[in-house]
Amino acid sequence: MFFSKTSVLIALACLASTANADCGTDVTSTEFSTFYAGLTNDYDYTKFPQECVDVGGDIFTYSGTTTCSGAVTQIDREIFCAPVSCTASDGIASLPFVLAAGAGAGCTGDYTYEGLGNGTPASVQCRLLDMNRIGDGGEDEANFEEFVTARIAGEANAGDYSALPPLCDAMKDAHYFTFSGTQTCTDGTSDLTDVPMCLPESCTDGDEATLAEMVAIVEKDIYDSISKSCTVTGLTFDGLDDHDTSGAFFPAATSVVTAGMATIVAGLAAAI
């Protein structure tokens, strides 16, 4: 739900205190107001990290809780872009005001952060950029589809997956690994053990929560394509350290730039 202009102005008044003046000035600047205003439903979020940097911003994720009148909302790896004055060591105290502003007047935030001042975090690189390479129209879409087709054939051939590693290597900056967990389909539940997967290295280099999210989305899409409804949970991984790393049928980007981002941005835009 979008918050009121009044609630945003209260938050920005806090930012305008002496300790937070630079952050408050920058987050309401013409550059950032224009940037935020452009984040509409049809915005191409693959451009988000670079355009964040271009306006003098820092892209990061945050997790924790937002509390409003005793009601607590859990936040998990939301993506945001804030001025570097808000994310530098002398401005980080300002971030909870900015991030909690969208929930309403008097709301407070208690957050931890990934990627402050360190460029694009691996999880953001994975979710916004690299998953699109194997997605609809991406440069590695055909290679990934070949990998999945070969995996399905291997499952039908007594688990012979010998053809898969070379197919994964054919994809740009991809990492071959296996996962185990529980698969729940409309016709029952089964255990999964050492199922092969190939995803961008940024997904395997970052936190396992992001990797699990991407694997679950890919698996759902695979089974949707053969008219079978399945989900995977309780995922563990093997082989994540077996590759010198640098760092699907679908683009995950737009859906994972979350409602939290849109809410905060809309409120800030309304206030400025």
Side-chain angles (χ1 to χ4, degrees), residues 59-190:
I59 187 170
F60 60 94
T61 66
Y62 67 102
S63 302
T65 58
T66 302
T67 303
C68 302
S69 302
V72 178
T73 301
Q74 294 290 329
I75 307 296
D76 182 27
R77 295 171 295 122
E78 300 276 8
I79 298 171
F80 198 71
C81 172
V84 293
S85 57
C86 300
T87 63
S89 59
D90 58 351
I92 194 171
S94 308
L95 273 181
F97 292 105
V98 174
L99 299 174
C107 295
T108 59
D110 183 12
Y111 310 114
T112 59
Y113 310 100
E114 179 202 5
L116 294 182
N118 293 324
T120 303
S123 63
V124 176
Q125 178 77 23
C126 166
R127 294 158 71 189
L128 292 190
L129 302 177
D130 292 344
M131 287 301 290
N132 281 278
R133 284 208 321 268
I134 63 173
D136 187 15
E139 62 185 276
D140 270 322
E141 178 187 15
N143 290 331
F144 186 67
E145 289 182 354
E146 186 177 0
F147 176 89
V148 171
T149 300
R151 195 189 87 178
I152 294 172
E155 291 171 355
N157 189 27
D160 180 3
Y161 299 123
S162 58
L164 296 183
L167 293 175
C168 185
D169 287 340
M171 286 186 273
K172 179 182 177 182
D173 297 330
H175 190 157
Y176 182 83
F177 63 98
T178 63
F179 67 89
S180 301
T182 301
Q183 182 184 66
T184 303
C185 304
T186 52
D187 57 355
T189 299
S190 59

Side-chain angles (χ1 to χ4, degrees), residues 99 104 106 185 192 201 249 269:
L99 299 174
C185 304
L192 300 174
E201 288 177 351
F249 298 124

Side-chain angles (χ1 to χ4, degrees), residues 3-12 101 104-105 267 271:
F3 50 87
S4 68
K5 181 174 180 178
T6 300
S7 70
V8 178
L9 292 174
I10 291 172
L12 296 179

Side-chain angles (χ1 to χ4, degrees), residues 235-258:
L235 296 177
T236 59
F237 306 99
D238 190 36
L240 298 183
D241 298 324
D242 297 343
H243 196 280
D244 291 331
T245 56
S246 60
F249 298 124
F250 61 94
T254 301
S255 63
V256 298
V257 180
T258 59

